[in-house]
Amino acid sequence: MEQAPLTFALLDAQIEAMPEGPVATLNTPQWIRPWTLIGVVGAVLGLLPSLLIQWFAPAQWMVWMSKAGLIVMVIGFAPGFVRNVFVLWREFRAHRQGLIAQVDHDVDEFRALATRLAAYPKDQLEAQARAARMAYERLGSRLIMLIGGVERLGLLPLLVSLFVVLRNWRDLLALPGWMSFFAIMAAILWVIGWAGAEFRRRLQFYGDLLDEALVVQGKQPSAVVGLPAHRTSGVPEN
């Protein structure tokens, strides 16, 4: 059977196919992410009229937009909030045992995938590992230029936006323009930082996985891998 080309698309598909493990409920599921983005959009819509009022005359549509944004924000963040509260309550009593079991599971799956990747030629593994590390560094540089270190603040920018919206929900149009602007930018920067950080984590995992495959390849006999054994030392063989 012909071997599939070693691409990052293949790596990503292999990683996504890995079983999630005993405490997978602690990971953010895919279906939560669209709802979170809907909540961010709602927060922006709720704050936008108070910014537009600086240039346009107050109108009824601004009030409707603010109320609609508030409703969308609550609907968008509600599923993730309810799920997180439920998961934390359920996992709190045995969190240590569950996390240890998850680490054991992740290590086994990581090594199994690295063993399968060790069947690829050494030069391909090394080239892809270098590419993953270069992409990781380049993305980090771009994020620093674009948003500084805001990704290290975690949920704080988003919580600031939520606080501004909920604190003034009775009359969002009365918000000062500067406060609305910074609240909107905080929500947008959080989305950019979150997306960039998620992709950087995946790039880092690509590099670690390929490095582990090279280690596995170096420990396997040539007959198993079908290639010359990977030598990790500079000592010449006799």
Side-chain angles (χ1 to χ4, degrees), residues 38-57:
I38 290 173
V40 172
V41 171
V44 172
L45 287 177
L47 291 166
L48 191 58
S50 60
L51 186 62
L52 295 176
I53 204 173
Q54 308 299 319
W55 296 281
F56 300 98

Side-chain angles (χ1 to χ4, degrees), residues 115-177:
T115 301
R116 295 196 297 271
L117 292 174
Y120 284 91
K122 172 188 171 184
D123 58 343
Q124 291 186 24
L125 294 172
E126 291 177 336
Q128 292 295 82
R130 290 193 300 270
R133 283 189 284 268
M134 286 189 294
Y136 176 86
E137 296 296 335
R138 290 177 61 190
L139 180 58
S141 299
R142 291 181 179 179
L143 288 174
I144 290 175
M145 290 180 62
L146 182 62
I147 59 176
V150 71
E151 75 278 4
R152 296 185 180 89
L153 299 177
L155 291 174
L156 184 59
L158 186 59
L159 293 176
V160 169
S161 299
L162 293 177
F163 174 78
V164 172
V165 174
L166 295 177
R167 185 175 182 272
N168 301 274
W169 68 274
R170 293 182 182 275
D171 189 7
L172 291 173
L173 296 182
L175 277 174

Side-chain angles (χ1 to χ4, degrees), residues 23-206:
V23 291
T25 51
L26 294 180
N27 301 325
T28 303
Q30 293 289 340
W31 65 269
I32 287 290
R33 297 178 181 181
W35 286 104
T36 302
L37 292 178
I38 290 173
V40 172
V41 171
V44 172
L45 287 177
L47 291 166
L48 191 58
S50 60
L51 186 62
L52 295 176
I53 204 173
Q54 308 299 319
W55 296 281
F56 300 98
Q60 186 62 34
W61 65 267
M62 294 182 179
V63 178
W64 293 340
M65 180 183 288
S66 295
K67 291 182 178 180
L70 180 61
I71 294 172
V72 170
M73 182 193 70
V74 173
I75 293 175
F77 288 125
F81 177 79
V82 173
R83 177 193 173 276
N84 289 338
V85 170
F86 173 74
V87 169
L88 289 175
W89 175 79
R90 189 176 66 177
E91 298 292 337
F92 179 75
R93 290 178 297 177
H95 68 282
R96 182 175 179 180
Q97 292 81 359
L99 291 176
I100 292 174
Q102 181 67 41
V103 171
D104 288 336
H105 170 271
D106 291 344
V107 169
D108 290 340
E109 292 295 329
F110 179 81
R111 288 174 178 168
L113 180 53
T115 301
R116 295 196 297 271
L117 292 174
Y120 284 91
K122 172 188 171 184
D123 58 343
Q124 291 186 24
L125 294 172
E126 291 177 336
Q128 292 295 82
R130 290 193 300 270
R133 283 189 284 268
M134 286 189 294
Y136 176 86
E137 296 296 335
R138 290 177 61 190
L139 180 58
S141 299
R142 291 181 179 179
L143 288 174
I144 290 175
M145 290 180 62
L146 182 62
I147 59 176
V150 71
E151 75 278 4
R152 296 185 180 89
L153 299 177
L155 291 174
L156 184 59
L158 186 59
L159 293 176
V160 169
S161 299
L162 293 177
F163 174 78
V164 172
V165 174
L166 295 177
R167 185 175 182 272
N168 301 274
W169 68 274
R170 293 182 182 275
D171 189 7
L172 291 173
L173 296 182
L175 277 174
W178 65 268
M179 185 179 293
S180 300
F181 173 78
F182 283 112
I184 291 173
M185 290 304 300
I188 294 175
L189 288 176
W190 179 84
V191 172
I192 296 173
W194 167 75
E198 284 293 309
F199 192 60
R200 285 196 83 203
R201 286 177 57 210
R202 182 53 60 93
L203 288 171
Q204 186 178 38
F205 190 71
Y206 292 157

